[in-house]
Amino acid sequence: MSQKKLIKSYVLRAGRMSPLQRKAYETLKDTHCLKYEDKLIDFKKIFPDFTSNYLEIGFGMGDVTHAIAAQNPQNAYLGIEVHSPGVGKLLSEIESRGLKNLKVIEHDAVDVLTNMIPDNCLDGIHIFFPDPWQKKKHKKRRLIQPEFTALLSKKIKRGAYLYAVSDWEDYAQQILQVFSGEKSLVNKYSDWAEPQLWRTETKFERKGLKKNHLIREVFFIKK
Ligand SMILES: C[S@@+](CC[C@H](N)C(=O)[O-])C[C@H]1O[C@@H](n2cnc3c(N)ncnc32)[C@H](O)[C@@H]1O
């Protein structure tokens, strides 16, 4: 069975775009988005001036995505998201900030990883506040499961990292357990990771903090 059939981790809602997001979405897609294709991408062609490539899955409105890219102009970043208002928002930020090191793919990350990302090519993967799918019957829709984690690990270089953050305690526990069970990975910390100070606050993190949720960070390295 393909990964796609195993996990459908999102529901596409007809989210309303602000006029700014719509304009950015319509005018900047060709410049800053990569089209989804069943074909491996060549990072050297997309980012000829960079040697380190990082991926973010489910960037939401992309506030952390452009902040990290702006703070690290020596690295290249690829953000994946299925929610078009977020894509529009991030495109407008890429343009207004003149970011040359950040591109976007609007598509299911499971397909993108399976079909577009070469093995052993990424320096790090970020997954910040993945959808928690709280109800028991929905938990199978959570993105971070063993098979998907094996896929993530296959895509990163030796010594590169997988970094996930969640404010849902039982999902955070699941992430820690699943990453720990992937033989190609080792926890950089003995348990929960120390907060990575270079990561700025995300929209969903703010929501979680308002509900007094604990923010759990998980940071593993490929052996
Ligand atoms: C809870 S939100 C978190 C957004 C952002 N990272 C934040 O912290 O504010 C999860 C995001 O992941 C996206 N998402 C879920 N599954 C995805 C998939 N398979 N491929 C791409 N994006 C996905 C959703 O559309 C949603 O925007």
Side-chain angles (χ1 to χ4, degrees):
M1 199 188 286
S2 73
Q3 279 280 345
K4 184 141 191 216
K5 282 177 197 130
L6 281 178
I7 314 173
K8 173 81 184 329
S9 61
Y10 60 91
V11 175
L12 271 187
R13 293 195 182 87
R16 284 240 308 275
M17 282 204 209
S18 71
L20 182 88
Q21 290 161 5
R22 178 159 303 284
K23 188 168 176 224
Y25 188 78
E26 285 167 2
T27 58
L28 301 172
K29 247 180 131 175
D30 290 347
T31 318
H32 302 303
C33 280
L34 304 180
K35 283 202 179 69
Y36 174 76
E37 287 183 284
D38 280 350
K39 192 176 142 201
L40 290 179
I41 56 176
D42 182 350
F43 275 96
K44 286 202 186 78
K45 276 200 185 139
I46 299 164
F47 293 117
D49 300 330
F50 302 90
T51 51
S52 299
N53 302 300
Y54 295 81
L55 187 78
E56 182 178 346
I57 296 173
F59 59 71
M61 299 312 282
D63 34 12
V64 170
T65 321
H66 66 73
I68 291 176
Q71 280 157 22
N72 297 279
Q74 74 286 4
N75 297 333
Y77 296 88
L78 189 57
I80 309 176
E81 179 53 67
V82 289
H83 177 62
S84 47
V87 171
K89 175 74 171 34
L90 186 55
L91 291 176
S92 75
E93 296 286 354
I94 294 174
E95 187 70 10
S96 64
R97 288 163 196 268
L99 295 174
K100 304 284 179 235
N101 60 336
L102 173 57
K103 295 218 177 279
V104 173
I105 303 185
E106 184 182 6
H107 198 81
D108 185 338
V110 181
D111 291 343
V112 174
L113 278 152
T114 307
N115 299 318
M116 290 186 76
I117 306 295
D119 292 351
N120 305 305
C121 79
L122 296 170
D123 295 83
I125 297 181
H126 304 160
I127 309 181
F128 302 147
F129 304 89
D131 292 298
W133 293 107
Q134 304 153 45
K135 289 185 185 155
K136 200 172 172 202
K137 63 176 179 183
H138 288 153
K139 284 191 179 163
K140 58 180 182 295
R141 302 191 67 166
R142 287 179 169 175
L143 193 58
I144 301 182
Q145 302 186 37
E147 197 170 336
F148 185 66
T149 302
L151 178 66
L152 294 174
S153 182
K154 204 158 86 161
K155 301 299 166 184
I156 62 176
K157 299 172 184 170
R158 287 173 83 172
Y161 67 80
L162 294 187
Y163 174 30
V165 186
S166 178
D167 65 314
W168 285 91
E169 185 64 19
D170 81 313
Y171 196 9
Q173 294 278 359
Q174 176 175 329
I175 296 169
L176 185 61
Q177 197 180 19
V178 168
F179 281 12
S180 301
E182 169 53 47
K183 290 196 166 51
S184 59
L185 299 174
V186 61
N187 195 346
K188 186 175 174 198
Y189 301 84
S190 54
D191 193 22
W192 304 114
E194 284 167 15
Q196 306 296 300
L197 298 178
W198 48 269
R199 184 183 64 78
T200 49
E201 206 172 76
T202 81
K203 184 179 165 192
F204 277 80
E205 181 168 17
R206 280 190 290 280
K207 287 187 179 185
L209 287 169
K210 272 193 188 153
K211 294 180 198 152
N212 291 322
H213 289 181
L214 204 59
I215 307 301
R216 296 291 201 186
E217 312 219 358
V218 181
F219 200 105
F220 277 61
I221 306 286
K222 183 163 168 181
K223 292 177 199 164

